[in-house]
Amino acid sequence: VKTIALLAERLRVEERQLMHAFAARGWDARLVAPSSLTHSLDGCEAAPATMVLDRSLATAESTLLAVLLSAAGATVVNRPATARLLADRVALIRHLVGAGLPVPRTAVCFGEESALETIDRLGYPAVLKTLTVDPAFPSAYIEDRDSAEALVEHRVTLGGERAMVAQAYIRSRHDRNVRAIVVGNHGPIAYDTRPTAGWRPEPTTSYTRAEHADSALAQVAAEAARRLGSGVYAIMMIESKDGPVITGAENLVDFRALSESGLDVAGAIVDHALFVHEHSRES
Amino acid sequence: VKTIALLAERLRVEERQLMHAFAARGWDARLVAPSSLTHSLDGCEAAPATMVLDRSLATAESTLLAVLLSAAGATVVNRPATARLLADRVALIRHLVGAGLPVPRTAVCFGEESALETIDRLGYPAVLKTLTVDPAFPSAYIEDRDSAEALVEHRVTLGGERAMVAQAYIRSRHDRNVRAIVVGNHGPIAYDTRPTAGWRPEPTTSYTRAEHADSALAQVAAEAARRLGSGVYAIMMIESKDGPVITGAENLVDFRALSESGLDVAGAIVDHALFVHEHSRES
């Protein structure tokens, strides 16, 4: 039996769907908790499976794990280079800017004082984010100078943040957040949206499938997917009054609502993973 | 007047020596605090100087700054690729292991439980370090299982550490820590040592110049410098009973004792920086 490791701390609806989809194709998928893993740096460590599907949120740690597993001979989806772009906010924005794609005005600030000056220059409201995705470290919505001073101080003193990403806040003209869902290497396979409450998605809602995307949005999403490459991820977008803007990209960790809408996301992910595995064995 | 930016939060003895050495060669060196810097990601940001000498400890943040300044057209010493190896402990160890150089037995642990299992397997005493150099996050010396449990728990709960480097502790047979000092591209220009107290350098001492290095040490240091490339850094070494072992590499932030011994370190750094600048303008 051919086995694949699903990297995730726990079994959610999505991982069960993936296991079924693997089983239907003759593969045995097993849940492997990243927190259970150790990787020796002696140059002769074996990966826990020849094929690994990373089902955790892309962070610096998950990217390193992907790099080490890949170096140990495993096929890893997402590829380490893609995982890095999903974890490293500055690398992602530079990549998108280099491709001429629309992103919020963004600056990296290397200290408390420069952060305040930068937010003043970007204008209010603005958003502060960590350089690298960190599920334990909040992003901050900043409405005015007083709020900027308080939040920067708290991030630096409580969080030990030494550099941060400051971005202009982009308001949605439809009061919603949009995701373009990429699985494989042919661009977005679907779009879903979630109502905005205040400055971020309403917490009690989840993304629901959008029947169609407007052409400007679809065009930007397709070009972004082409630049980010094949993989399994969501491109986060806001429809601003000046057109679509990309605000980030994430591993596609949740897709149960898309599955319920009739789209076989798990099947598409598994087909992509098996395609990458086949292809890597050839090379 | 040609100007160069010295990246450092404050003016120490070393930066004064560098300013004098630059002035003697017709350059005006100015202190620029990284915390005062902001870098827009709009693709058209100019660097604060055409030449930058990074005098801060290499961290993820300082590496990003080097990358951004370099992309904006500045010559940056150390080069971003070298800075990254000095900041990223796992990348450094993998690089050294790939070159067949002696390092402590090392593993990356992706969770609390795997860290404890790994330390047990490495044996006691062991050392825990962050994945990336972080001046605010201590390394831990671990003598036994109880100490391992307590320290891993504290690092995870208080520091939010999600993955860590575990290493076998290497005892010096001469009770001292050794640095091989690299400036330029011809390998180590000097060695200095510092007495070990307990498991790390005695805090009240500083490195003092070693008249000569034994041949095994010099050979390992020269090969490491060849693999890490040109730059300004110190290779940290321990003389174990089984020969020299590399425990890390750092930006050469402090060199006043070497200067006092008669070695013109500031002059060598400045000559190297000007050489790199000349060379980058040609290409």
Side-chain angles (χ1 to χ4, degrees):
Chain A
V1 178
K2 299 168 285 185
T3 61
I4 174 165
L6 294 185
L7 283 187
E9 289 300 327
R10 58 205 174 78
L11 198 66
R12 291 161 297 201
V13 172
E14 286 82 358
E15 283 69 50
R16 285 184 207 279
Q17 293 180 357
L18 288 164
M19 284 176 165
H20 287 304
F22 273 114
R25 289 154 181 83
W27 285 74
D28 180 28
R30 287 173 311 153
L31 194 75
V32 174
S35 64
S36 72
L37 293 178
T38 285
H39 197 93
S40 291
L41 299 183
D42 55 11
C44 50
E45 179 90 350
T50 57
M51 190 170 160
V52 175
L53 177 59
D54 186 359
R55 292 288 308 151
S56 54
L57 188 69
T59 59
E61 292 82 4
S62 79
T63 302
L64 173 61
L65 182 54
V67 166
L68 295 175
L69 294 176
S70 183
T75 302
V76 185
V77 172
N78 287 318
R79 289 178 294 114
T82 307
R84 182 177 159 256
L85 286 176
L86 301 178
D88 181 334
R89 291 199 169 100
V90 178
L92 176 71
I93 294 165
R94 294 183 71 215
H95 198 75
L96 296 173
V97 167
L101 285 160
V103 297
R105 279 177 304 128
T106 304
V108 186
C109 315
F110 290 90
E112 208 165 328
E113 204 183 321
S114 64
L116 291 174
E117 280 167 20
T118 303
I119 297 165
D120 268 348
R121 203 172 62 237
L122 286 170
Y124 297 91
V127 178
L128 281 180
K129 298 175 177 174
T130 52
L131 298 184
T132 306
V133 172
D134 180 343
F137 208 117
S139 293
Y141 175 75
I142 296 177
E143 291 196 86
D144 53 36
R145 174 81 195 200
D146 285 347
S147 155
E149 285 178 12
L151 284 162
V152 169
E153 185 188 10
H154 278 69
R155 295 173 74 90
V156 170
T157 55
L158 298 184
E161 197 170 39
R162 284 187 294 271
M164 56 195 89
V165 168
Q167 278 187 326
Y169 174 69
I170 306 294
R171 193 169 302 282
S172 167
R173 65 193 164 100
H174 300 311
D175 287 325
R176 63 182 188 177
N177 294 57
V178 181
R179 301 195 308 181
I181 307 301
V182 177
V183 178
N185 45 13
H186 302 296
I189 61 166
Y191 294 85
D192 55 12
T193 69
R194 199 172 159 188
T196 308
W199 68 283
R200 50 183 165 185
E202 159 62 52
T204 61
T205 65
S206 59
Y207 282 93
T208 54
R209 190 170 176 187
E211 279 316 307
H212 76 290
D214 87 31
S215 67
L217 194 87
Q219 202 179 334
V220 168
E223 180 60 16
R226 207 172 71 79
R227 297 299 184 133
L228 297 177
S230 69
V232 180
Y233 55 88
I235 301 167
M236 323 300 284
M237 304 173 82
I238 297 283
E239 299 149 294
S240 82
K241 64 178 170 49
D242 304 317
V245 175
I246 301 173
T247 56
E250 285 183 357
N251 278 28
L252 182 59
V253 172
D254 60 313
F255 58 75
R256 66 189 76 179
L258 280 176
S259 296
E260 281 164 16
S261 82
L263 187 69
D264 184 13
V265 180
I269 292 175
V270 168
D271 286 339
H272 170 65
L274 295 177
F275 174 84
V276 173
H277 191 54
E278 255 333 288
H279 186 77
S280 70
R281 288 199 307 179
E282 282 163 19
S283 65
Chain B
V1 179
K2 299 168 285 186
T3 60
I4 174 164
L6 294 185
L7 284 186
E9 290 300 327
R10 59 205 173 77
L11 198 66
R12 292 160 297 202
V13 172
E14 286 82 358
E15 282 70 49
R16 286 184 206 280
Q17 293 180 358
L18 288 164
M19 283 176 167
H20 287 303
F22 273 114
R25 288 155 181 85
W27 286 73
D28 180 29
R30 288 174 310 152
L31 194 75
V32 174
S35 64
S36 72
L37 293 177
T38 285
H39 197 92
S40 290
L41 298 183
D42 55 10
C44 50
E45 177 91 349
T50 57
M51 190 168 159
V52 175
L53 178 59
D54 186 1
R55 292 289 308 149
S56 55
L57 188 70
T59 60
E61 292 83 4
S62 79
T63 303
L64 174 60
L65 182 55
V67 166
L68 295 175
L69 294 176
S70 183
T75 302
V76 184
V77 171
N78 289 315
R79 289 179 293 112
T82 307
R84 181 176 160 256
L85 286 175
L86 301 178
D88 181 334
R89 291 199 169 100
V90 178
L92 176 73
I93 294 165
R94 293 183 71 215
H95 197 75
L96 296 171
V97 166
L101 285 159
V103 297
R105 278 178 306 128
T106 305
V108 186
C109 316
F110 290 90
E112 207 165 326
E113 203 183 323
S114 64
L116 291 174
E117 279 167 20
T118 304
I119 298 165
D120 268 349
R121 202 172 62 235
L122 285 171
Y124 297 92
V127 178
L128 281 181
K129 297 174 178 175
T130 51
L131 297 183
T132 306
V133 172
D134 181 344
F137 208 119
S139 292
Y141 175 75
I142 296 176
E143 292 197 87
D144 52 35
R145 174 80 195 201
D146 286 345
S147 156
E149 285 178 11
L151 284 162
V152 169
E153 184 188 11
H154 279 68
R155 294 174 73 90
V156 170
T157 56
L158 298 184
E161 197 169 41
R162 285 187 293 269
M164 56 194 90
V165 168
Q167 278 188 324
Y169 174 70
I170 306 294
R171 193 169 303 282
S172 167
R173 66 195 163 97
H174 300 310
D175 286 325
R176 64 181 188 178
N177 294 58
V178 182
R179 299 195 309 181
I181 307 300
V182 177
V183 178
N185 44 14
H186 302 295
I189 61 167
Y191 295 84
D192 56 10
T193 68
R194 198 169 159 190
T196 309
W199 69 282
R200 49 183 164 186
E202 159 63 53
T204 61
T205 64
S206 59
Y207 282 94
T208 54
R209 189 169 176 187
E211 279 317 306
H212 76 289
D214 87 31
S215 66
L217 194 85
Q219 202 179 331
V220 167
E223 179 61 15
R226 205 172 72 77
R227 296 300 184 131
L228 297 177
S230 69
V232 181
Y233 55 88
I235 301 165
M236 323 300 284
M237 304 172 81
I238 296 284
E239 299 148 296
S240 81
K241 62 179 172 48
D242 304 317
V245 175
I246 301 173
T247 56
E250 285 183 357
N251 277 28
L252 182 58
V253 173
D254 61 313
F255 57 75
R256 66 189 75 178
L258 281 176
S259 297
E260 280 163 17
S261 82
L263 188 69
D264 183 13
V265 180
I269 292 175
V270 168
D271 287 339
H272 170 64
L274 295 177
F275 174 85
V276 173
H277 190 55
E278 253 335 287
H279 186 78
S280 69
R281 289 200 305 178
E282 282 163 17
S283 63

